[in-house]
Amino acid sequence: MGAQMRVYRQRIRSVQATKKITRAMELIAASRVVKARQAVERSTPYATALTRAVSALATHSDVEHVLTTEREQPKRAAVLILTSDRGLAGSYSVNAIKRSQELIEHLRGEGMEVVPFLVGRKAVSYYKFRRREFAAEWSGFTDSPTPDVAREIGQRLTEEFVKGSEDGGVDEVHVVYTRFKSMVVQEPLALRLLPLEVVEGEVDADADGKPDDLLPLYEFEPDASGVLDALLPKYVESRIFNAMLQAAASELAARQRAMKSATDNAEELIKTYTRLANQARQAEITQEISEIVGGASALADAS
């Protein structure tokens, strides 16, 4: 019985140590997700307004630009996949990779070759473990992205698109990321970034709450072509940066939820081991009492 008690106590100490770690990680994620949500709220209106401006320009002008022109027979498509650098975030990265695979299968079904671009060590590990090829990787910042990284990724994808498949580039650019909707709901999404299309998932509403599908009218100085040249790179960078911020907030929310679940499970496990240890101790005490009573009875019979 003594050996069994030692085993239970050792397991309780081990689970308690694990619980301290998961609890600390839960609190860290909870504190960081607040700033991540604020970053998303600050970034989204700018990305939305810039997208609407570029969409309006592309819709209401007759200027043809390389970033807004549909290729007649697209042959290659780039897919930027946003995952996390670290684990312990539930199924966050798995869901993003799964959504990217669905998109890749769809693009291949349309006869296109897919060129993956990876963000986050989880995506890189996934591709390397399966010995799948990819064009480029970025990691080390997924829970706190910066505009500089978004600019670097945007410039690379834009260069690939401008080259086109005939010169070793791509004809379409897609992004797969996890959209932050709430602390409970994070949704893996795929959107086409290039050539330009209206990619907003929600329709704006007017003051009466009615849908407003009309694009705003702008006057362009010096001309529509010059404005497109200036706006389109910023559009690409802003969309990528907003997607990265959404993904970071989603990652932290998923990690907080996963660590809370792990902490709750640790508490239940400690209760279970404590109950088993008490039962073992009671059995040990009962056996000791039985031995004492048996010894006293034997002495009484002997006398």
Side-chain angles (χ1 to χ4, degrees):
M1 288 293 179
Q4 193 173 13
M5 280 288 297
R6 284 193 296 272
V7 170
Y8 287 137
R9 287 172 179 170
Q10 182 179 2
R11 290 180 178 177
I12 289 173
R13 287 194 297 270
S14 177
V15 176
Q16 285 174 336
T18 302
K19 176 187 170 184
K20 289 181 180 179
I21 296 173
T22 58
R23 178 59 177 167
M25 294 185 68
E26 176 190 349
L27 294 176
I28 292 172
S31 64
R32 296 187 64 187
V33 76
V34 174
K35 293 182 178 180
R37 292 177 63 183
Q38 292 174 348
V40 171
E41 292 172 357
R42 290 193 300 267
S43 169
T44 300
Y46 173 76
T48 301
L50 187 55
T51 299
R52 287 174 60 81
V54 177
S55 300
L57 176 54
T59 301
H60 297 301
S61 69
D62 56 358
V63 176
E64 290 189 3
H65 195 281
V66 64
L67 299 187
T68 62
T69 304
E70 296 273 353
R71 309 288 165 83
E72 291 184 0
Q73 294 181 339
K75 298 178 181 178
R76 301 183 82 212
V79 176
L80 179 67
I81 307 170
L82 304 184
T83 63
S84 65
D85 286 323
R86 298 184 295 129
L88 302 178
S91 59
Y92 165 75
S93 292
V94 173
N95 290 339
I97 292 174
K98 182 179 178 181
R99 182 67 186 91
S100 71
Q101 291 302 114
E102 294 174 354
L103 173 62
I104 289 172
E105 291 176 3
H106 172 73
L107 294 173
R108 286 174 176 167
E110 294 185 345
M112 279 186 278
E113 177 187 353
V114 176
V115 184
F117 291 81
L118 310 179
V119 173
R121 295 192 181 98
K122 289 299 177 181
V124 175
S125 299
Y126 178 88
Y127 272 75
K128 286 185 175 179
F129 180 77
R130 289 160 179 79
R131 298 181 179 179
R132 298 180 181 177
E133 295 183 356
F134 55 90
E137 64 176 271
W138 295 270
S139 60
F141 56 83
T142 59
D143 55 357
S144 56
T146 63
D148 292 337
V149 177
R151 187 176 302 110
E152 178 185 343
I153 297 173
Q155 289 175 351
R156 173 64 187 277
L157 293 176
T158 302
E159 290 172 1
E160 294 290 331
F161 182 77
V162 171
K163 285 194 299 185
S165 59
E166 298 298 331
D167 295 324
V170 298
D171 299 319
E172 291 183 2
V173 175
H174 299 259
V175 181
V176 177
Y177 71 102
T178 305
R179 180 187 179 190
F180 181 88
K181 300 186 73 173
S182 69
M183 289 297 297
V184 179
V185 180
Q186 297 88 43
E187 179 185 12
L189 288 180
L191 65 86
R192 197 185 80 175
L193 193 62
L194 294 173
L196 172 67
E197 63 178 357
V198 179
V199 295
E200 298 302 320
E202 297 177 354
V203 178
D204 293 339
D206 58 18
D208 297 327
K210 298 177 182 179
D212 180 14
D213 294 325
L214 296 177
L215 291 172
L217 297 177
Y218 298 95
E219 292 184 0
F220 307 108
E221 292 290 344
D223 53 40
S225 179
V227 174
L228 272 177
D229 288 339
L231 282 184
L232 282 171
K234 296 184 181 298
Y235 156 76
V236 173
E237 293 168 14
S238 69
R239 294 300 306 186
I240 291 177
F241 186 46
N242 182 257
M244 291 168 62
L245 292 176
Q246 297 261 7
S250 298
E251 176 186 345
L252 291 169
R255 180 167 292 115
Q256 179 190 0
R257 197 164 59 251
M259 291 302 96
K260 184 181 187 308
S261 177
T263 302
D264 293 343
N265 291 339
E267 291 177 351
E268 291 298 321
L269 199 56
I270 290 172
K271 290 179 182 179
T272 299
Y273 282 138
T274 301
R275 184 172 63 252
L276 292 173
N278 290 338
Q279 291 175 353
R281 179 58 180 161
Q282 290 171 358
E284 185 177 348
I285 292 173
T286 301
Q287 182 176 348
E288 290 175 354
I289 293 175
S290 298
E291 291 175 353
I292 293 172
V293 172
S297 299
L299 288 175
D301 295 339
S303 62

